[in-house]
Amino acid sequence: MASLKPRNSNGKILLDQLTKEYFIKNILSAREAQGESVENFEFNKDRCRVLSPNENIKDKSKGILYWMYRDCRVQDNWALIFAQRLAIKKKLPLHVCYSLKDAHEQYPTQRHFNFFIEGLKFVQKEFQQLNIGFHLLNVSPKELAKLIASNDIGGVVCDFSPLRHPRKLQTELLKSLHNEIPVVQVDAHNIVPVWIASDKQEGMAKFLRPKISKNLDEYLTGFPNISKHKYSGKLNLQNEIELDQAVNYYTPKYDVPEIKWGDGPGPEAGLTMLRKFIVENLREYGNTSNDPSKDNTSKLSPWINFGQISAQRCALEVKSVSSLFKEQCDKYLEELIVRRELTDNFCYYNSNYDNLNGAAKWAQETLKVHRCDVVNMWNTRSRLEGTRDFRKNSLHG
């Protein structure tokens, strides 16, 4: 569990002295306290599920591959932790790949894509320092399967998304691998894995909340440190892409200009914003955070959404100051955990999550009843787009 410092002689946390350097150092210490390596960490295997019929890594394999999609970070990433544990156990090199194929499905605007790519540059640099290969590709699942087979990859680890497109990609990869190579999925985005929290769609937060709460002691744990990998190896790849050239493989769906957000993309910038929230805004959270005239939200959504920081890390750090602001911490953790994970539950168990057929029956009936209502359309599209308020440059609207 996170342990914030500095403290006074009575053990009380001194937030006014919690500098960025202190904050980052505390997180590093918390990871080290979980063990020097993921190898000795007691990993909860219920965070994983085997997608392929075959669970066994074949002899004379030459590596383990983490197919990164949703959680684009090195530290505090359960999928990468599992992949490194597996690679160490089998004494194999560890590789990570990301494919830009159909990137517009995940990043529909240039604003989204630039935030993602700039964050990925920090990830690539950290992988280089850790002797973990990072490969940016532009391949379909079928083409990726060929690369996996030709490079004698022994096992594939992928992260979790409840959305239709990434699930389709994973299904295509499984078919292309012909059940010969084990594929394991790890929910690195939710604190309690979606399939553990509930086996069905929960219509309201009050139904999911007790199911999440009873599992928090087991799943809201600290992360071990991703350490320098012991085993080296190279992949035989063609047409590997430099990050600076990634934009050439991307066509946005919508034209939305880039903006300045906090200290910019990347894990450290996300943690900097987390520290700022804890020190400056958490004490008023829940009191004014729903007031659009107040600038008092966490502003962490971009980094969490793009997988650049872990929601679980945010929860651990906020929980560590609950002795100072218990009510505010509880309100934030409700939003961060229950409400946020309710959205994954909805998308995972409702195939119509993105159209009106996915709405509750009463909502569909209400819409039908009022379909012919006369509405004064004073807010035209151009008027809304031209509205000047403090939220107009928000990454998520």
Side-chain angles (χ1 to χ4, degrees):
M1 194 65 69
S3 178
L4 282 168
K5 300 174 183 177
R7 299 170 183 265
N8 63 17
S9 58
N10 296 322
K12 185 177 180 180
I13 300 167
L14 303 173
L15 282 187
D16 58 337
Q17 296 181 26
L18 185 63
T19 63
K20 174 184 173 181
E21 291 72 21
Y22 243 135
F23 187 68
I24 299 296
K25 184 179 179 180
N26 287 335
I27 291 175
L28 294 175
S29 298
R31 291 182 188 136
E32 291 171 358
Q34 298 294 325
E36 295 182 1
S37 167
V38 301
E39 184 178 9
N40 302 317
F41 180 75
E42 191 173 338
F43 186 87
N44 187 339
K45 293 185 178 179
D46 286 339
R47 297 185 188 276
C48 312
R49 57 181 182 177
V50 180
L51 301 182
S52 57
N54 179 23
E55 298 184 25
N56 300 314
I57 295 176
K58 62 183 179 181
D59 294 335
K60 298 182 180 180
S61 295
K62 295 182 180 178
I64 298 297
L65 179 70
Y66 168 31
W67 180 18
M68 179 182 280
Y69 184 85
R70 191 185 191 191
D71 294 283
C72 300
R73 61 184 179 276
V74 177
Q75 302 296 342
D76 301 342
N77 184 339
W78 291 121
L80 183 60
I81 290 168
F82 179 80
Q84 187 174 46
R85 276 174 54 87
L86 187 59
I88 291 174
K89 180 180 178 181
K90 298 297 182 180
K91 299 181 179 180
L92 294 172
L94 176 59
H95 301 277
V96 180
C97 79
Y98 188 96
S99 177
L100 293 172
K101 198 77 169 180
D102 297 330
H104 61 276
E105 294 288 346
Q106 189 176 10
Y107 308 108
T109 72
Q110 194 72 53
R111 178 188 298 180
H112 290 92
F113 187 75
N114 289 353
F115 195 92
F116 152 68
I117 284 295
E118 291 303 313
L120 210 56
K121 291 179 180 179
F122 294 96
V123 173
Q124 182 187 50
K125 183 178 180 180
E126 192 169 357
F127 276 136
Q128 290 173 345
Q129 296 169 347
L130 295 173
N131 193 35
I132 297 173
F134 177 75
H135 312 279
L136 187 64
L137 308 171
N138 186 44
V139 295
S140 66
K142 187 175 181 179
E143 293 167 326
L144 180 60
K146 290 180 180 178
L147 293 174
I148 290 170
S150 64
N151 283 277
D152 293 320
I153 295 297
V156 178
V157 177
C158 57
D159 48 36
F160 167 80
S161 172
L163 301 185
R164 186 178 301 110
H165 184 67
R167 292 172 73 175
K168 177 185 175 184
L169 295 178
Q170 289 169 358
T171 299
E172 290 176 359
L173 178 68
L174 286 167
K175 289 180 180 178
S176 300
L177 288 174
H178 305 297
N179 301 328
E180 295 177 359
I181 298 172
V183 178
V184 178
Q185 185 177 64
V186 184
D187 190 345
H189 211 76
N190 296 295
I191 295 173
V192 180
V194 164
W195 52 84
I196 296 293
S198 178
D199 60 359
K200 62 183 179 68
Q201 180 185 332
E202 302 294 345
M204 301 175 70
K206 68 178 182 180
F207 299 134
L208 183 63
R209 187 178 299 112
K211 296 182 177 183
I212 291 282
S213 298
K214 74 177 183 180
N215 283 294
L216 279 183
D217 286 343
E218 181 177 355
Y219 289 96
L220 185 52
T221 63
F223 296 91
N225 203 39
I226 295 290
S227 56
K228 189 168 184 177
H229 200 64
K230 301 176 183 178
Y231 308 100
S232 302
K234 292 185 177 181
L235 295 183
N236 181 20
L237 300 174
Q238 294 181 346
N239 302 322
E240 196 165 346
I241 301 168
E242 296 293 331
L243 275 168
D244 289 337
Q245 301 300 316
V247 68
N248 298 328
Y249 297 84
Y250 170 75
T251 303
K253 279 186 175 181
Y254 311 106
D255 184 18
V256 180
E258 195 170 359
I259 61 167
K260 172 70 175 174
W261 189 276
D263 286 350
E268 186 172 332
L271 292 177
T272 299
M273 184 62 79
L274 174 59
R275 174 208 159 268
K276 182 178 180 182
F277 170 59
I278 291 173
V279 172
E280 299 179 12
N281 292 347
L282 180 58
R283 69 186 72 236
E284 292 297 327
Y285 192 85
N287 299 328
T288 59
S289 53
N290 288 331
D291 185 344
S293 68
K294 306 291 185 182
D295 190 15
N296 199 34
T297 60
S298 73
K299 302 183 183 67
L300 288 166
S301 293
W303 293 278
I304 294 175
N305 181 52
F306 288 90
Q308 295 179 8
I309 61 172
S310 165
Q312 186 156 337
R313 171 58 60 196
C314 298
L316 290 170
E317 300 308 319
V318 167
K319 193 175 181 182
S320 69
V321 297
S322 60
S323 61
L324 298 179
F325 322 114
K326 186 178 188 311
E327 182 180 352
Q328 290 81 0
C329 288
D330 288 347
K331 288 180 179 178
Y332 178 70
L333 293 174
E334 162 74 12
E335 298 292 334
L336 178 71
I337 303 175
V338 177
R339 304 286 174 154
R340 188 183 60 86
E341 299 194 5
L342 179 65
T343 63
D344 264 31
N345 170 275
F346 176 78
C347 292
Y348 185 64
Y349 289 111
N350 189 331
S351 60
N352 289 307
Y353 63 81
D354 57 353
N355 63 73
L356 289 178
N357 291 327
K361 186 177 180 180
W362 65 264
Q364 295 186 45
E365 291 175 349
T366 300
L367 288 171
K368 289 179 182 178
V369 169
H370 295 282
R371 178 176 292 173
C372 297
D373 288 3
V374 177
V375 180
N376 181 13
M377 299 296 289
W378 67 273
N379 264 338
T380 63
R381 177 169 180 169
S382 59
R383 186 171 181 175
L384 286 170
E385 289 178 344
T387 298
R388 294 182 177 274
D389 64 32
F390 82 98
R391 294 172 298 165
K392 71 170 184 170
N393 285 332
S394 171
L395 190 69
H396 298 288

